[in-house]
Amino acid sequence: MIELSHVDYDYPGGVPALRDISLSLDKGHCYAVQGPNGCGKSTLFRIILGLAFPDAGTYRFGGEEITARSLRSEAFARDFHRRIGFVFQDPEAQLFCSTVEDELLFGPAQTDLPRDEALARTEDYLSLFGLREIRKRAPFTLSGGEKKRVALASALILEPEVLILDEPLAGLDEDSQELMADCIRRARSQDRLILCASHDRAFTGRTADMVIRMGKNHRLIGMEPVGGDQLSEDGKELR
Ligand SMILES: Nc1ncnc2c1ncn2[C@@H]1O[C@H](COP(=O)(O)OP(=O)(O)OP(=O)(O)O)[C@@H](O)[C@H]1O
Ligand SMILES: [Mg+2]
């Protein structure tokens, strides 16, 4: 589903973020991306979301190469963006409607879903995510955890094939963490592909089945099943 081949990425000014990343990711799995601060996890997600493009190497989604040029086709870009949902590390950056209910309705209203179905689905997701009481509130007035729940509901309402979660637990209380874990497990059982960067090993142990480990040098250390042998930075097994 997602294929990266020898991807390099630098930020302007030559700040290295990704070095020679090759990955092949399939549906029905939840991949936990682990590595120290600044190793390139969020940058990897920006590439997968088509918000940044490799300086070298290639990125394919469902067999199609994703480049600045391929996303210039409006129909192709719309289809691609609809297939990937995400919750950013800072959800503030992705909420822009004037009420919570509009935020949820925004995605379905952009698709060819009939209006009454889009409204019905919005009601379902407001209930599912415990957002009914705050449905008329402006997203920017919500607490951090509430914002995250709205962002997650807005991502899942489109039932995307791929779900990207960058530090999904930050700011969440126990109930909301459980809701997040349930969402991931359900998405996995529905044959979606989930990518999740979290520093919480207990959480990834409960939700992910594969671990992708990145090193300080912005390179891949390896990918292994959850519960398998842990590799250290230099690739040696830790016991
Ligand atoms: N907008 C930017 N401009 C310049 N450099 C950036 C930018 N965003 C990130 N970087 C740099 O790129 C590198 C990778 O950053 P990235 O945010 O991908 O790391 P991360 O693994 O997500 O870290 P964290 O665990 O702190 O979220 C870091 O050295 C960072 O300082
Ligand atoms: Mg990050």
Side-chain angles (χ1 to χ4, degrees), residues 10-21:
D10 283 8
Y11 283 97
V15 181
L18 298 174
R19 280 292 173 272
D20 197 28
I21 302 288

Side-chain angles (χ1 to χ4, degrees), residues 9-12 15-18 35-46 89 166-167 197 199 214 218:
Y9 186 82
D10 283 8
Y11 283 97
V15 181
L18 298 174
N37 292 135
C39 73
K41 303 177 295 293
S42 297
T43 307
L44 175 69
F45 292 164
R46 286 171 49 81
Q89 202 159 357
D166 202 352
E167 294 298 340
H199 293 287
M214 293 175 65
H218 315 289

